[in-house]
């Protein structure tokens, strides 16, 4: 199972801005041991705050760390194989797409994986 | 937000869809677009919307809730910015349209843009009416600081900010209509003394007659809002800041702020400037078109239809549907014939409904009136030719649905007119729901009819929550939720109504609690992941179920429980209560509410050292340190060197006590000692929901034992009463007397036995105030006191195992249980901060 990639970010259908995106820069976030199984930890990456979750099957998911509802710390949320619950008001978000199943605006998702040296590697757009 | 729709876009575009431009992004404009999209209009039109306010569309009706602090401004949005993107709508938010060129078909906006259109919708809404009063404006023509209109999110937030400044204590609201009363009530919740100045002879004079107005006045004044009727404001006093208002022929009223809620006026400037027909508002025909303009429509509070201008949401919804029928061509025969306005709402906490005439007009009109001012109830119905032509109901909304229906449809009325006002042994609520016409509107915020709900149910959606999600019924102000439930139950024929998962202990494992516990025991499932693997469909984890399972397994297995930290809620992972800004609150244990100078010194030291933003006494007789950063938690615990008070968990919380017989001259039992012993014994045990206890030393009940999950009262003769299932929070219930016993030891035994029975039998998150009446006090007494089922020893042993297994979680401070257990999850960005007091 690969990490979640965004299906259609807001930029996909927005007005043509002409801004060229730097594609796929990789960031190493350090050893996987930082994130206990079934939990999340937040990382500051290139001035963005990212919540990285380690699912119980060993795979990783990365989403934006701030709940779009009222700013809750997503990394403190409870997860299962498919979704994360924000700890403040229990809004639920699919870990693969960032879409909320409870009516909140979506989280951003980022490709993330564990490399051969057991380091967390995150790709920013 | 780039300038796609510029002058050049017209020729450059190859998009053959018609250009639909909407002036106004309020409830009418956005609703019209939603209706157009629902009719497939997105494929026919490229849609551009202009909104004066720099936001998406929000529910203006809810502004009074934002003012009172019941809702966050962010929660009242109907269409988020994402909605516009998803529907490919170009939104120019914060940009005002100034003029329309009907011949060149261009819209000119204040950013210098000219936007071409093929179809135009004007939905400019209304603005607050500002009466001629001296001192309203600055020299620059703006409202002076301290004077507010009440129309927009910005108005509301500015008002809240101003009201919360410490030196502002008094407000005058000009206008005693719906908005004025809502403003007054909202300001009160910020600790402001409010007086309402109303030029009319009675409150709500557009909705009701003088008799109803007088009853309402009584109810409003009972809330502490002073009302001045027949009072015209002539000036706002004060030079640099507001100091009061001047009334004609009456004494001045001193105040620090003024809210003007003297009605609304349609925004017609654009239409007038552009040469469109405007009388009291923009004139439209039955197709919602502006006369003689084939491609210009108008909708909402800015229109005048057959001489009527509406200021309520229901007519706007009806107009938007007709407009969309014509814009899309979905139904060329569709026509808007005007609305019979029935208002049903809560004004300053009082239920108000009004429709049609306020009072009889002809000699032959019947008038049925009931007035009970002491309870704030007033009901008046005007009947003509055996049909309702007007009704006013105040303080009791039970018959409103039926009356609205009878008014709208001209239904035949019962011979016995009094049954219009009351249910007198007649058909109950279900019949009332059955009587409702299919077109009757159930949810007035989102315009959902009975038919829409019934069709959703017939379409296979048979849970109340599911229907609410699918139709948006009940998702506005929420006041119709009960009615939505009744309609769903009626449509589902009473048999199906509950969420199938509601009987399960947790939603992700399809078993009731008893069956779940049996399976867990038989299969020896000692961890949450093992339960999912063995008992959940497909072995799938479920985040919503983890916390409940963790609690249950810990209770069942005690020291043999395999504690997977990811199954815990964040509070239980870091042993503190998460706050709205992501910081935590720390409540050290203070058994029985008794503390020492040494503890207080340490608490004060911690508060200083960590710059704790708020130190608060709790209702459970403890001290709460709020705003602690996650990474500081272990250090705070170390410096406190006190055990956890468990103020964060679904667990035994605290025992409140009175001073007891050592000091109190009335005390009959040593309540303090017993309270401390109970807390020492049961500290931290997990349970389906929190447990709050109390021990009072005499029947004066200073520790409020009658409204606790378990409450103990010493009575004369060395005896103790034990009450269970009491509550005084969101729910108020006096506990039921379980037993009267003669020793503190027996109190502790029966308390423990009851709590264990509750732990084993109650549903997840079911408080004792629900559990005790559900199971029945007689049954509980026989099981717990008389041991009729022989469970006593077993319950006592299970509780003892939990007690023996207690470990103060704050000892994890020296050695984090998981990597990064106390690492911050707070974003780098500035979060909404809890205000520092």
């Amino acid at each position: 199972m690969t990490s979640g990639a965004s299906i259609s970010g807001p930029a996909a259908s927005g007005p043509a801005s002409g801004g060229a995106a730097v594609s796929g820069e990789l960031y190493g976030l350090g050893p996987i041991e930082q994130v206990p199984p079934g939990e999340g930890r937040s990382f500051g990456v290139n001035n963005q705050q990212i919540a990285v979750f380690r699912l119980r099957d060993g795979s990783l998911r990365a989403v934006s760390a701030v709940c779009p509802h009222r700013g809750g710390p997503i990394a403190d949320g409870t997860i299962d194989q498919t979704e994360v619950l924000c700890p403040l008001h229990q809004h639920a978000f699919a870990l693969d797409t960032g879409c909320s199943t409870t009516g909140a605006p979506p989280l951003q998702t980022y490709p993330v994986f564990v490399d051969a040296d057991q380091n967390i590697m995150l790709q920013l757009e | 937000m780039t300038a796609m729709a510029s002058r050049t876009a017209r020729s450059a575009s190859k998009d053959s869809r018609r250009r639909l431009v909407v002036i106004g992004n309020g409830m009418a404009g956005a609703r019209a677009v939603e209706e157009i999209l629902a009719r497939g209009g997105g494929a026919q039109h490229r849609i551009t919307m202009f909104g004066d306010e720099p936001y998406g569309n929000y529910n203006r009706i809810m502004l009074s809730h934002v003012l009172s602090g019941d809702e966050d401004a962010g929660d009242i949005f109907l269409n988020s910015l994402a909605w516009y993107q998803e529907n490919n709508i170009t939104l120019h938010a914060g940009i005002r349209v100034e003029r329309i060129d009907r011949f060149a078909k261009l819209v000119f906006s204040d950013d210098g843009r000219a936007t071409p259109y093929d179809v135009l919708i004007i939905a400019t809404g209304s603005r607050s009416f500002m009466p001629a009063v001296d001192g309203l404006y600055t020299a620059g023509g703006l409202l002076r600081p301290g004077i507010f209109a009440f129309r927009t999110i910005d108005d509301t937030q500015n008002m809240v900010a101003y009201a919360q400044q410490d030196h502002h204590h008094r407000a005058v609201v000009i206008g005693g209509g719906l908005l004025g009363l809502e403003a007054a009530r909202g300001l009160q919740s910020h600790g402001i003394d409010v007086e309402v100045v109303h030029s009319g002879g009675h409150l709500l004079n557009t909705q009701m007659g003088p008799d109803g107005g007088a009853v309402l006045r009584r109810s409003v004044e009972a809330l502490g809002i002073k009302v001045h009727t027949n009072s015209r404001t002539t000036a706002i006093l004060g030079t640099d800041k507001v100091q009061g208002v001047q009334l004609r022929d009456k004494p001045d009223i001193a105040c620090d702020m003024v809210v003007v809620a003297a009605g609304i006026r349609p925004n017609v400037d654009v239409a007038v400037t552009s040469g469109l027909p405007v009388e009291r508002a923009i004139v439209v025909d039955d197709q919602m078109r502006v006369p003689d303009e084939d491609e210009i429509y108008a909708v909402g509070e800015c229109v005048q239809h057959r001489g009527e201008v509406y200021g309520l949401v229901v007519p706007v919804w009806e107009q938007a549907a007709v407009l969309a029928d014509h814009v899309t061509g979905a139904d060329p025969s569709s026509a808007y014939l005007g609305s019979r306005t029935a208002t049903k709402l809560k004004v300053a906490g009082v239920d108000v409904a009004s429709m049609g005439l306020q009072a009889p007009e002809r000699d032959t009109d019947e008038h049925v009136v009931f007035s009970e001012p002491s309870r704030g109830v007033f009901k008046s119905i005007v009947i003509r030719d055996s049909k309702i032509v007007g009704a006013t109901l105040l303080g009791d909304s039970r018959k409103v649905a039926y009356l609205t229906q009878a008014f709208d449809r001209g239904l035949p009325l019962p011979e016995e007119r009094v049954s219009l006002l009351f249910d007198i042994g007649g058909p109950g609520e279900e019949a009332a729901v059955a009587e409702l016409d299919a077109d009757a509107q159930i949810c007035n915020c989102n315009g959902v009819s009975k038919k829409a709900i019934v069709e959703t149910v017939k379409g296979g959606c048979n849970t109340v929550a599911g229907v609410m999600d699918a139709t948006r019924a009940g998702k506005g102000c929420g006041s119709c939720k009960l009615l939505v439930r009744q309609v769903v139950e009626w449509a589902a024929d009473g048999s199906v109504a509950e969420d199938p998962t509601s009987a399960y202990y947790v939603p992700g494992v399809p078993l009731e609690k008893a069956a779940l516990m049996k399976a867990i025991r038989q299969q020896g499932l000692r961890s949450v992941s093992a339960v999912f693997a063995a008992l959940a469909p497909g072995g799938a984890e479920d985040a919503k179920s983890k916390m409940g399972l963790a609690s249950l397994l810990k209770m069942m297995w005690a020291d043999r429980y395999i504690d997977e930290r990811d199954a815990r809620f964040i509070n239980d992972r870091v042993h503190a209560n998460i706050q709205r800004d992501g910081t935590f609150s720390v409540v050290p244990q203070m058994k029985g509410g008794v503390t020492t100078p040494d503890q207080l010194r340490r608490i004060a030291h911690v508060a200083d050292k960590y710059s704790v933003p708020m130190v608060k006494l709790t209702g459970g007789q403890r001290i709460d340190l709020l705003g602690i950063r996650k990474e500081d938690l272990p250090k705070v615990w170390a410096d406190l060197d006190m055990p956890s008070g468990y103020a964060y968990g679904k667990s035994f919380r605290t025992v409140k006590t009175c001073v007891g017989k050592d000091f109190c001259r009335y005390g009959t039992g040593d309540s303090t000692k017993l309270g401390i012993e109970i807390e020492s014994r049961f500290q931290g045990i997990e349970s389906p929901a929190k447990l709050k206890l109390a021990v009072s030393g005499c029947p004066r009940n200073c520790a409020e034992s009658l409204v606790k999950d378990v409450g103990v009262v010493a009575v004369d003769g060395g005896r103790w009463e034990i009450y269970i299932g009491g509550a005084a929070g969101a729910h108020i219930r006096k506990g039921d007397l379980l037993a009267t016993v003669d020793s503190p030891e027996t109190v502790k035994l029966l308390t423990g036995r009851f709590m264990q029975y509750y732990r084993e039998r109650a549903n997840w998150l079911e408080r004792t105030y629900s559990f005790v009446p559900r199971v029945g006090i007689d049954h509980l007494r026989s099981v717990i006191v008389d041991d009729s089922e022989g469970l006593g020893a077993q319950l006592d042993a299970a509780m003892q195992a939990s007690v023996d297994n207690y470990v103060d979680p704050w000892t994890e401070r020296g050695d984090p249980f998981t990597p990064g257990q106390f690492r911050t999850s707070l974003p780098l960005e500035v979060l909404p901060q809890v205000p520092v007091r």
Side-chain angles (χ1 to χ4, degrees):
Chain A
M1 202 169 200
T2 56
S3 57
S6 73
I7 290 173
S8 69
S13 58
S17 65
V22 182
S23 67
E25 258 186 83
L26 269 186
Y27 291 83
L29 306 186
I32 180 69
E33 285 75 38
Q34 296 171 90
V35 187
E39 295 192 33
R41 294 289 181 259
S42 65
F43 295 85
V45 187
N46 194 18
N47 269 331
Q48 299 178 54
Q49 193 79 0
I50 314 282
V52 176
F53 291 95
R54 183 176 175 188
L55 274 46
R56 281 199 152 262
D57 68 0
S59 66
L60 299 183
R61 300 288 185 280
V63 297
S64 43
V66 185
C67 181
H69 174 232
R70 289 209 203 161
I74 292 292
D76 282 342
T78 312
I79 62 163
D80 53 32
Q81 283 297 122
T82 57
E83 65 181 12
V84 56
L85 305 179
C86 174
L88 291 194
H89 304 98
Q90 280 68 51
H91 271 292
F93 302 88
L95 286 165
D96 281 339
T97 64
C99 292
S100 170
T101 53
T102 50
L107 294 172
Q108 179 71 266
T109 57
Y110 305 87
V112 64
F113 60 94
V114 187
D115 74 1
D117 300 324
Q118 296 298 299
N119 286 315
I120 303 167
M121 301 303 292
L122 180 89
Q123 192 177 341
L124 283 192
E125 287 172 26
Chain B
M1 294 293 145
T2 48
M4 274 299 286
S6 65
R7 272 173 215 278
T8 54
R10 199 175 180 194
S11 52
S13 171
K14 288 177 189 146
D15 193 333
S16 63
R17 293 179 299 168
R18 296 203 300 169
R19 291 161 301 196
L20 171 65
V21 172
V22 184
I23 307 175
N25 182 35
M27 295 177 73
R31 180 67 169 216
V33 170
E34 283 188 343
E35 294 282 0
I36 288 168
L37 293 172
R39 287 162 179 74
Q44 306 168 333
H45 301 93
R46 263 179 296 154
I47 304 174
T48 302
M49 300 185 74
F50 286 89
D52 207 0
E53 294 181 67
Y55 310 111
N57 170 41
Y58 57 85
N59 187 345
R60 216 176 281 283
I61 299 167
M62 299 298 281
L63 285 177
S64 56
H65 295 235
V66 174
L67 178 61
S68 63
D70 294 334
E71 292 275 342
D72 200 78
D75 286 344
I76 66 167
F77 279 86
L78 296 170
N79 303 89
S80 65
L81 292 174
W83 178 82
Y84 297 87
Q85 286 182 338
E86 282 160 19
N87 290 292
N88 286 314
I89 297 166
T90 307
L91 172 66
H92 299 296
I95 294 175
R96 178 189 290 262
V97 168
E98 294 178 322
R99 190 168 64 83
I100 303 157
D101 184 332
R102 293 141 57 209
F103 306 103
K105 292 197 169 183
L106 287 171
V107 164
F108 296 93
S109 45
D110 65 359
D111 55 347
R113 185 194 309 263
T115 308
Y117 67 84
D118 299 308
V119 184
L120 183 67
I121 297 173
I122 305 175
T124 44
S126 305
R127 61 189 144 75
S128 301
F129 168 64
M130 290 290 158
V133 171
D134 289 339
L136 269 184
Y137 299 101
T138 61
L142 299 171
L143 282 179
R144 284 173 51 203
I147 304 178
F148 301 89
F150 186 24
R151 176 75 189 165
T152 65
I153 275 196
D154 289 346
D155 291 340
T156 310
Q157 290 186 321
N158 291 340
M159 218 186 299
V160 170
Y162 196 87
Q164 285 181 340
Q165 291 176 23
D166 284 346
H167 53 287
H168 296 145
H169 305 294
R170 302 188 58 183
V172 164
V173 174
I174 300 175
L178 295 174
L179 212 52
L181 293 178
E182 287 290 335
R185 186 66 174 150
L187 286 173
Q188 260 196 327
S189 60
H190 298 285
I192 302 275
D193 287 333
V194 188
E195 303 191 25
V196 171
V197 175
H198 187 49
S199 60
H202 60 272
L203 295 175
L204 287 194
N205 51 339
T206 44
Q207 281 83 17
M208 62 180 69
D211 298 340
V215 173
L216 178 62
R217 177 182 186 140
R218 223 183 128 124
S219 303
V220 167
E221 290 193 322
L223 298 169
I225 297 169
K226 201 167 171 195
V227 176
H228 308 264
T229 49
N230 291 313
S231 300
R232 191 169 288 277
T233 311
T234 50
I236 314 284
L237 302 172
T239 44
D240 50 337
K241 71 184 288 286
V242 171
Q243 290 179 330
V245 298
Q246 186 182 65
L247 307 183
R248 189 164 66 197
D249 303 332
K250 296 199 176 177
D252 297 348
I253 304 173
C255 64
D256 311 305
M257 65 188 291
V258 173
V259 176
V260 184
I264 54 172
R265 294 291 181 271
N267 284 320
V268 295
D269 299 356
V270 173
V272 170
T273 311
S274 311
L276 296 174
V278 175
E279 293 172 6
R280 289 163 57 216
I282 305 168
V283 178
V284 294
D285 60 20
D286 290 355
Q287 283 75 46
M288 302 311 297
R289 273 196 195 90
V290 176
D292 302 325
E293 300 287 341
D294 287 345
E295 301 299 351
I296 302 183
Y297 296 79
V299 63
E301 294 180 348
C302 66
V303 310
Q304 173 183 328
H305 171 267
R306 296 192 182 185
E308 290 288 331
V309 179
Y310 298 97
L312 295 168
V313 70
V314 176
V316 176
W317 289 171
E318 294 172 3
Q319 292 172 0
V322 171
L323 179 151
D325 281 338
H326 290 283
V327 167
T328 59
D331 180 4
S333 68
S334 174
Y336 177 66
L337 303 174
S339 299
R340 303 189 75 176
T341 50
T343 323
K344 178 185 140 207
L345 65 178
K346 252 192 160 54
V347 183
V350 180
D351 284 310
V352 175
S354 95
M355 56 202 89
L357 299 182
Q358 295 176 359
E361 289 176 344
R362 301 180 191 168
D363 291 345
T364 50
D365 287 350
E366 287 177 62
H367 194 196
V368 185
V369 184
F370 173 82
S371 178
E372 192 181 0
S374 63
R375 276 206 313 133
V377 174
F378 176 82
K379 302 183 179 195
S380 146
I381 296 175
V382 184
I383 300 166
R384 180 178 297 167
D385 302 331
S386 284
K387 302 213 165 84
I388 294 181
V389 291
T392 304
L393 291 103
L394 206 57
D396 179 355
S397 60
R398 274 174 293 183
K399 294 295 280 185
V400 170
Y402 168 72
L403 290 173
T404 310
Q405 169 75 9
F407 171 75
D408 278 347
R409 306 277 149 192
L411 295 183
L413 303 179
E415 290 281 308
E416 203 178 5
R417 303 294 198 221
V418 69
S419 62
L420 290 168
L421 300 178
F422 306 100
D423 291 317
I424 311 168
E429 280 167 347
E430 278 185 26
V433 169
E435 279 169 22
L436 287 179
D437 192 85
D439 291 331
Q441 184 151 281
I442 304 298
C443 172
N444 287 329
C445 288
N446 290 323
V448 184
S449 66
K450 176 180 165 190
K451 188 167 83 186
I453 293 176
V454 171
E455 282 172 359
T456 308
V457 173
K458 300 294 180 213
C461 184
N462 57 6
T463 68
V464 176
V467 169
M468 285 172 58
D469 281 342
T471 62
R472 291 167 72 195
K475 296 270 185 175
C477 71
S479 65
C480 64
K481 276 183 191 164
L482 181 64
L483 191 55
V484 173
R485 166 172 284 277
Q486 288 168 2
V487 174
V488 171
E489 286 171 352
W490 174 79
D493 219 5
S495 58
V496 208
E498 286 314 311
D499 189 336
T501 62
S502 68
Y504 306 155
Y505 173 70
V506 288
V509 181
L511 290 170
E512 291 183 23
K513 184 166 182 173
L516 174 63
M517 288 174 66
K518 192 172 164 201
I520 287 170
R521 260 202 201 94
Q522 280 177 348
Q523 301 183 37
L525 307 171
R526 293 194 291 136
S527 71
V528 172
S529 60
V531 171
F532 283 128
L535 303 176
E541 281 184 283
D542 176 48
K544 295 184 178 76
S545 303
K546 284 184 160 185
M547 189 182 178
L549 288 175
S551 167
L552 182 69
L553 292 172
K554 179 89 188 296
M555 187 268 289
M556 290 175 67
W557 296 109
D559 60 329
R560 292 196 292 152
Y561 167 57
I562 300 170
D563 182 5
E564 294 165 340
R565 287 298 172 106
D566 64 301
R568 297 184 175 200
F569 182 56
I570 183 65
N571 284 5
D572 298 313
R573 290 184 199 164
V574 302
H575 321 300
N577 196 350
I578 192 163
Q579 306 295 307
R580 61 181 290 184
D581 62 352
T583 64
F584 290 83
S585 84
V586 167
V587 181
Q589 186 180 60
M590 209 167 264
K591 289 176 186 169
V594 178
T595 183
T596 63
D598 177 51
Q599 283 186 339
L600 293 174
R601 257 182 229 111
R602 274 179 279 155
I603 289 170
H605 169 71
V606 163
D608 274 342
K609 182 172 172 186
Y610 298 93
S611 307
V612 174
M614 176 144 79
V615 183
K616 171 91 179 67
L617 299 185
T618 73
Q621 298 186 336
R622 310 191 287 185
I623 294 176
D624 195 349
L625 301 162
L626 290 130
I628 308 278
R629 295 182 302 172
K630 192 178 173 190
E631 56 272 33
D632 285 341
L633 288 170
K635 291 179 275 180
V636 165
W637 299 332
D639 288 345
L640 285 173
D641 197 24
M642 293 165 72
S644 167
Y646 278 93
Y648 45 82
K650 300 301 173 203
S651 59
F652 178 97
R653 291 281 183 89
T654 167
V655 183
K656 188 171 179 171
T657 69
C658 65
V659 286
K661 68 178 181 185
D662 282 0
F663 288 90
C664 177
R665 65 186 190 277
Y666 299 114
T668 57
D670 195 345
S671 53
T672 325
K673 176 165 178 283
L674 178 56
I676 291 171
E677 286 173 6
I678 292 175
E679 189 161 346
S680 303
R681 177 163 172 75
F682 301 112
Q683 58 192 344
I685 62 159
E686 51 292 311
S687 57
K690 60 189 171 188
L691 288 165
K692 294 180 169 182
L693 284 73
V695 184
S696 294
C698 80
R700 283 174 185 76
N701 241 318
C702 294
E704 299 162 352
S705 299
L706 298 185
V707 289
K708 297 293 173 188
D709 294 291
V710 179
V712 181
V713 184
V715 292
D716 203 28
R719 291 160 62 80
W720 303 82
E721 292 175 340
I722 306 172
Y723 292 86
I724 56 175
H731 190 95
I732 306 271
R733 184 176 192 272
K734 177 179 179 287
D736 297 321
L737 181 64
L738 176 70
T740 305
V741 301
D742 4 3
S743 77
E745 289 312 313
T746 318
V747 170
K748 282 184 275 183
L749 179 77
L750 294 185
T751 296
R753 201 179 280 177
F754 163 68
M755 290 196 298
Q756 183 63 25
Y757 191 78
Y758 165 71
R759 295 169 84 201
E760 294 183 9
R761 301 295 197 286
N763 296 319
W764 176 235
L765 303 182
E766 181 181 31
R767 290 287 302 267
T768 63
Y769 65 71
S770 302
F771 174 75
V772 170
R774 173 166 74 82
V775 177
I777 186 64
D778 293 336
H779 178 73
L780 287 167
R781 195 178 293 125
S782 84
V783 171
I784 291 159
V785 183
D786 307 332
D787 201 6
S788 60
E789 295 182 3
L791 292 173
Q794 187 188 323
L795 291 169
D796 297 345
M799 178 54 90
Q800 188 62 44
S802 289
V803 168
D804 293 342
N805 198 37
Y806 166 77
V807 180
D808 173 23
W810 288 1
T811 54
E812 268 172 25
R813 60 187 175 242
D815 183 18
F817 194 89
T818 55
Q821 183 179 3
F822 300 107
R823 181 162 131 181
T824 183
S825 290
L826 279 182
L828 301 169
E829 294 86 349
V830 178
L831 278 169
Q833 298 289 324
V834 178
V836 176
R837 289 178 201 275

